[in-house]
Amino acid sequence: MTKRAYKYRFYPTPEQEQLLARTFGCVRFVYNAVLRYRTDAFYQHGEKTGFAAANAKLSLMKKDGGTAFLNEVSSVPLQQCLRHQQRAFKNFFEGRAKYPRFKSKRHRQSAEFTRSAFKYRDGQLFLAKCSESLAIRWSRELPSEPSTVTVSKDSAGRYFVSCLCEFDPRALPVTPKMVGIDLGLKDLFVTSDGHRIGNPCHTAKYAAQLAKAQRRLSKKKLGSKNRAKARQKVAKLHARISDCRMDSLHKLSRQIVNENQVICVESLKVKNMLRNPRLAKSISDAGWGEFVRQLEYKAAWADRQLSAIDQWYPSSKRCSDCGHVMAKMPLHVRAWTCPECAAEHDRDVNAAVNIKAAGLAVLALGENVSGMGQVPMSCSP
């Protein structure tokens, strides 16, 4: 059994909206107050505080008259936010993330409920301290009863509920097809069999509307209601762009996983590539990292194999026929002729063919040939 989150949109009643607003505010307040407490304890007194001390601090806050409003909402989301904070500190100390940051009320708000704080029966979901069920738009049935429920509100004012359930992934029938994928900007990706998927450029489609909405936002008075309305219009446009991008990536990744038994991709360092000021916006809009992430978990569910080759492998400069490696290959060169075997290559298709060959070598040998020699390479089974 594997755990999977199922996300749905719901429409709260005015009473539920007020309760959720208080819950989000209390979660944010507790998280920021405890983070300040733990930070000051270390820098001012040299004391290291863990989850037990943070939980004790929460108990004291509930008993304090100035913060008695914390008792008006369910205690489960408050405790869960401290567990999330503890995980954030663990990731920081182990070098996987930066120091935990304070939460803002202008960004996404969320609250997590465990089994003791919600009820799910007959397709209806009831939260703690809420008499009515949530008006959820069920797009598909849940495979099992959820273990945790996360209620969130994005910056565009939309409400979502995410149910964590256990499901049994079904392996797809074995197919002999294998594919190499070369990611790009002009084309989102090119496959080793010459199939091209154009880059939809979602941000560019809404660039004029987004610029107009941002200009209007900049002219509104700080703290006014009109500024809040203008900010939400900008957030709605960003949400529309993000939804279009995610919908496209999910459809493409599902098609690739359904059609191929082995999928070979590059191990791109997208964060490092975003340092390029000329290409950062286009790279972010393409969503390379999200596309590879979706391929990875969908391949694991379908019992497919995903092979990631070394990022320094010269896939574009290597001739897929004879193996000759060119000394230089500028980006403006889209087609070239091999000086050794006189084979004519399309840059992207040739790179995809080389990625496929290198990815199969990774699966067979467990290591990858890069531009610097033999480099051990791990791959997803």
Side-chain angles (χ1 to χ4, degrees):
M1 299 296 287
T2 305
K3 288 188 176 181
R4 177 181 179 181
Y6 293 81
K7 188 176 181 180
Y8 308 91
R9 187 174 179 179
F10 74 97
Y11 302 87
T13 63
E15 294 77 10
Q16 292 174 344
E17 191 172 351
Q18 293 179 4
L19 176 61
L20 291 175
R22 291 198 301 268
T23 304
F24 294 149
C26 291
V27 168
R28 185 177 62 252
F29 177 83
V30 169
Y31 188 95
N32 293 341
V34 175
L35 179 58
R36 172 55 59 192
Y37 163 73
R38 299 177 71 166
T39 303
D40 293 343
F42 178 78
Y43 284 103
Q44 296 181 6
H45 308 288
E47 300 177 357
K48 295 183 179 180
T49 56
F51 176 75
N55 203 18
K57 178 64 175 178
L58 174 60
S59 300
L60 293 177
M61 292 170 60
K62 287 185 175 182
K63 296 178 182 178
D64 188 1
T67 55
F69 58 86
L70 297 177
N71 297 301
E72 298 177 1
V73 300
S74 174
S75 61
V76 173
L78 307 183
Q79 295 172 346
Q80 290 298 106
C81 82
L82 295 184
R83 290 187 172 90
H84 296 165
Q85 185 181 102
Q86 182 65 25
R87 189 181 303 115
F89 271 106
K90 182 179 179 181
N91 294 334
F92 167 72
F93 288 120
E94 294 181 358
R96 294 192 298 268
K98 295 182 180 180
Y99 193 82
R101 297 185 298 178
F102 293 97
K103 294 184 178 294
S104 172
K105 64 179 179 180
R106 293 183 179 178
H107 298 155
R108 176 180 177 272
Q109 308 294 315
S110 64
E112 185 177 85
F113 298 82
T114 58
R115 291 182 183 272
S116 60
F118 72 89
K119 293 182 180 179
Y120 176 76
R121 61 174 182 267
D122 300 330
Q124 292 183 325
L125 184 64
F126 298 83
L127 298 179
K129 296 184 180 292
C130 185
S131 59
E132 299 182 29
S133 63
L134 299 181
I136 302 176
R137 185 175 180 181
W138 298 103
S139 57
R140 52 184 168 179
E141 296 183 358
L142 294 177
S144 63
E145 184 176 349
S147 57
T148 60
V149 169
T150 302
V151 179
S152 61
K153 178 184 178 183
D154 64 4
S155 56
R158 302 179 300 177
Y159 290 87
F160 297 93
V161 58
S162 180
C163 304
L164 186 63
C165 305
E166 290 187 349
F167 84 111
D168 188 13
R170 297 181 180 180
L172 295 176
V174 177
T175 175
K177 292 188 63 177
M178 298 174 287
V179 68
I181 296 178
D182 178 57
L183 300 172
L185 293 179
K186 181 179 180 181
D187 296 310
L188 182 60
F189 64 86
V190 179
T191 63
S192 54
D193 54 5
H195 187 56
R196 296 177 179 271
I197 300 297
N199 189 352
C201 299
H202 300 288
T203 302
K205 292 180 180 179
Y206 294 93
Q209 299 181 39
L210 190 59
K212 183 178 180 180
Q214 289 173 335
R215 284 197 303 269
R216 291 184 174 180
L217 171 62
S218 65
K219 297 178 182 179
K220 303 300 181 183
K221 184 178 179 180
L222 293 176
S224 65
K225 293 184 178 180
N226 286 335
R227 185 177 179 85
K229 295 178 182 178
R231 183 188 299 112
Q232 193 170 55
K233 289 183 179 179
V234 174
K236 288 182 178 180
L237 282 175
H238 280 294
R240 187 180 305 172
I241 295 172
S242 178
D243 290 345
C244 292
R245 182 186 301 112
M246 291 296 293
D247 180 70
S248 176
L249 293 179
H250 273 296
K251 291 177 179 177
L252 291 173
S253 59
R254 172 51 57 190
Q255 181 181 359
I256 292 293
V257 171
N258 288 349
E259 295 178 354
N260 300 276
Q261 184 67 30
V262 179
I263 306 165
C264 305
V265 296
E266 294 178 283
S267 299
L268 297 178
K269 300 295 183 181
V270 179
K271 287 186 178 180
N272 296 339
M273 300 174 70
L274 291 177
R275 297 176 181 175
N276 187 333
R278 295 183 179 180
L279 300 178
K281 186 175 182 180
S282 299
I283 293 174
S284 299
D285 189 31
W288 292 344
E290 176 63 21
F291 179 65
V292 174
R293 187 190 72 87
Q294 292 179 11
L295 287 176
E296 184 177 1
Y297 75 78
K298 290 179 182 179
W301 289 347
D303 198 19
R304 304 299 203 199
Q305 290 180 308
L306 180 71
S307 177
I309 71 170
D310 186 78
Q311 60 174 324
W312 301 114
Y313 182 77
S315 58
S316 298
K317 299 188 293 183
R318 180 183 294 272
C319 175
S320 57
D321 290 347
C322 67
H324 174 74
V325 180
M326 299 289 290
K328 294 182 179 180
M329 185 67 64
L331 286 176
H332 69 271
V333 177
R334 310 314 302 174
W336 58 284
T337 302
C338 177
E340 291 292 331
C341 64
E344 297 183 356
H345 297 294
D346 178 276
R347 179 193 182 103
D348 299 327
V349 176
N350 176 72
V353 173
N354 286 327
I355 291 172
K356 176 182 176 182
L360 296 178
V362 170
L363 294 177
L365 304 176
E367 55 186 20
N368 185 27
V369 179
S370 70
M372 303 301 293
Q374 295 287 340
V375 178
M377 186 69 186
S378 60
C379 60
S380 300

